[in-house]
Amino acid sequence: MTNTQSVPAGLEAAASSKQYSLTKILAIWAAATAPMALLAWVVGPALIPHTSLHPGLVHWMLMVVGMMWQFGVSLIVLRHELGSLHWPALKKRIWLNLPRDPRTGKPRKVLFLWAIPAFAANGLGGYLATRLDSAWTNWLPFLHEPSYTNIQGLADPKFQGQWWILGLALTSMLFNYVLGEELLFRGVLLPRMAGVFGRWDWVANTVLFGLYHVHKIWAWPSMIASSFGIAWATKRYRSFWMGVIVHGLEGFFIVLIVAVLAGWYP
């Protein structure tokens, strides 16, 4: 009996196509990185003097635009590779499934618990690397963080009641933890990096992800050190959702935003 839900043969073949070359990996990385640099260091400083919006909000909006661009890049790459965005082939291509047991390959929901130690490892790595951040910016003082890029600068009573900022925050989270950074780095790139980097593809993915943060260049060391758990969990359990969860756990800042908007912040 024919299974009407099966993936067409051409799409099945495309979903298991060969690994990327180093040139292609770096080209996709550059397609995500260059716009973020342009938005953060050229467009932002040019716009800020000509708007009444808080500089931090202008910067944040531009970063969201950059992550939306990454979503577009991901769709273009995947469609070119698969021939279409046929859902079954797309799911297989980006590991959009439950985490799989590394020994048996069987999906197991309980493996989601590994997101917790992966997130903890990210936190420890980021904390230990803060001294490297200081050394990095002391060596190159012009890389110090502009004050307006620190989200803590938005913890101001004047933003009380401006609930549209919550919409901005939720949009930022969507494209940061799912459709933008995660889709491009762990959905598009990571499954195709073993051909160049072998078993260390998740390490290379983490380094590229950290260096992509040119809009946070003052924190390059900690950005790298605090991201290993994301790629490790995604690769070990062959599940896009593992990266989404590990990365998304840092989204607790939404609580602080709600507190500010509601006037609960001291």
Side-chain angles (χ1 to χ4, degrees):
M1 180 180 294
T2 301
N3 184 357
T4 58
Q5 298 300 317
S6 62
V7 181
L11 294 179
E12 179 70 24
S16 57
S17 62
K18 65 180 181 179
Q19 296 286 297
Y20 288 165
S21 66
L22 179 60
T23 299
K24 186 166 185 177
I25 292 170
L26 294 179
I28 295 174
W29 175 83
T33 304
M36 296 299 273
L38 182 65
L39 290 167
W41 301 112
V42 178
V43 178
L47 284 179
I48 286 171
H50 303 289
T51 178
S52 59
L53 279 175
H54 188 283
L57 289 174
V58 175
H59 176 77
W60 193 1
M61 290 176 182
L62 290 175
M63 296 304 94
V64 172
V65 170
M67 291 186 289
M68 288 179 171
W69 163 255
Q70 291 165 35
F71 176 59
V73 170
S74 296
L75 292 183
I76 291 170
V77 171
L78 290 170
R79 192 184 189 291
H80 181 266
E81 183 177 323
L82 300 174
S84 76
L85 295 177
H86 193 272
W87 185 242
L90 183 64
K91 287 176 62 178
K92 180 177 180 179
R93 165 63 179 82
I94 66 174
W95 297 344
L96 196 64
N97 47 252
L98 291 175
R100 299 184 180 277
D101 190 303
R103 293 171 297 177
T104 66
K106 294 182 179 180
R108 298 176 60 199
K109 292 181 181 179
V110 70
L111 295 174
F112 277 125
L113 291 175
W114 279 100
I116 298 173
F119 177 74
N122 280 354
L124 179 61
Y127 172 75
L128 294 177
T130 53
R131 290 187 177 181
L132 292 178
D133 288 346
S134 298
W136 167 242
T137 52
N138 287 338
W139 178 47
L140 299 172
F142 62 90
L143 295 180
H144 276 287
E145 178 182 11
S147 59
Y148 62 81
T149 66
N150 192 324
I151 195 170
Q152 292 181 352
L154 298 178
D156 191 309
K158 70 181 181 182
F159 293 114
Q160 182 177 345
Q162 297 192 37
W163 290 100
W164 68 271
I165 297 176
L166 179 60
L168 173 62
L170 293 174
T171 303
S172 177
M173 292 176 67
L174 176 64
F175 285 94
N176 192 356
Y177 306 134
V178 186
L179 298 180
E181 292 181 356
E182 277 309 301
L183 180 58
L184 189 133
F185 281 92
R186 258 65 66 176
V188 174
L189 284 176
L190 184 56
R192 291 292 186 263
M193 292 178 65
V196 175
F197 299 102
R199 62 183 297 185
W200 302 109
D201 53 351
W202 63 276
V203 176
N205 183 270
T206 300
V207 173
L208 286 177
F209 180 64
L211 295 179
Y212 137 81
H213 286 82
V214 288
H215 49 292
K216 296 182 179 179
I217 195 170
W218 53 87
W220 260 0
S222 60
M223 287 304 308
I224 295 172
S226 65
S227 301
F228 282 106
I230 306 173
W232 172 83
T234 303
K235 175 61 188 293
R236 179 168 175 79
Y237 300 105
R238 304 280 175 156
S239 174
F240 175 76
W241 294 120
M242 289 296 285
V244 169
I245 293 172
V246 177
H247 195 181
L249 283 172
E250 68 184 37
F252 66 87
F253 76 89
I254 195 73
V255 176
L256 300 178
I257 291 173
V258 171
V260 172
L261 299 179
W264 302 333
Y265 197 87

